[in-house]
Each structure stands twice: as structure tokens, then as C-alpha cells.
Amino acid sequence: MTIQESGTARPAGRPRSEKAEKAIIEATLDLIGEGMGVSELSIEAIASRAGVGKTTIYRRWSNKEDLVVDALSTLKAPLPPLTGTSVRDDLISLLDAMRREAGHTRSRCVMNIAMSEADRYPRLMERFVKRAIEPRREAMRAVIERGIASGELRADLDVDMGMALLSGVMLWHTKWGPAGDLPPDLAERVVDAALAGMAP
């Protein structure tokens, strides 16, 4: 800490700039959205796109993987509010969040990276899953377990299988389904189809 002539203390080093951080995150997402894979992505390219120096990036992130995890995590919208009134309504809310995210180019690129580069960057994917995917997975697990406890779902239901059925069907529609906008009632149809086998 340095002491100015006025006698007031000033913290050493530059203050963190939220504007610079936002520009760096946006630049990273833009480059990924344009089809650049993690291996091709460079700190130099990100700095150039963001209009900052490389040192500005390295002051905030120690390596490229840390930056990519933070950037990708910003694409996952917060968990939708769950009313708790019925298992069906809460599952529809969770799946509809997946449908809405799939409509954004950047979100589709996240899925492409997750599918194609997980083997090359296991640490990156592990950390991304922990930060962005696990909270949603745990929310769905809690809803299904609540449904079993309340009698809305079968007592012998395999929770992991139920989660796979719901999220797997949505993944198929968002990644490999027919081209074009996903129908607004997709989540409702998927949940109702799954509940036909999951209900008592």
C-alpha cells in the first residue's frame, strides 16, 4: 500500500475493471460462437477482439481454460423458479429453460464444445459441468425425488433413468431434431410423454 501526500491510503495495483472483464468474456464467446474451438482459441485473439492487452487477461485468469469456463458459464441462465405446486409443472420449467437456451447461437456452440472437445479438455469440461450443469441436474433430481415421496411418481422409479429420459429427449430435439425453431410446447409434450411411464 502506498501513501499519497494527502495522507490517505491507496491500494496497490490497478482496480479491476468490470468493463474490461465483460469485453473479454464477450470476445471469448464471440470467437467460440464463430466456430473457433478451444484448441484454436488464443489469448492473443481474445485480447485483440476485446481491445485489451494480454496482461489484462492474465491478471484475471491464469490460463485459457479458466477463462473459457467462466465465459461458457455465463451462457447458462439462472435456474428457473420452481413453484413446487406439482412435479409436472416444475419439470416443464426445467426443460423449457433448455428449449429457450437452444435458440441462442452461443448456447449451441457450448453444446458443440461439450460434445466434441470433452476428451481433449477433460479438466475444462469437468469444471464447466460442475459450475453450469450440476445445479440443474440436482434441481431435476430434487423434483423427481419429491414426486416419488408425494406419490406423484412411481415408488420404484429409477431417478437417474428418469432424469436421462427427460434431458436426453430434450437434448435430441435441441441438437439433432428437425431444423427451425423448437415448438413452444415442446417441454410440456416431453414431460407428459415421460410421465406416462413414470407416474404410479
Side-chain angles (χ1 to χ4, degrees), residues 38-56:
V38 178
S39 54
E40 305 162 283
L41 196 64
S42 68
I43 294 296
E44 290 80 2
I46 295 168
S48 175
R49 178 67 66 96
V52 301
K54 288 193 295 181
T55 54
T56 302

Side-chain angles (χ1 to χ4, degrees), residues 81-86 89-90 93 146:
L82 303 179
T83 63
T85 53
S86 77
D89 288 348
D90 284 351
S93 294
R146 191 185 83 222

Side-chain angles (χ1 to χ4, degrees), residues 163-182:
M163 291 169 62
L165 285 169
L166 290 160
S167 54
V169 173
M170 284 301 291
L171 179 60
W172 183 88
H173 278 282
T174 58
K175 182 69 179 165
W176 297 290
D181 292 338
L182 295 171

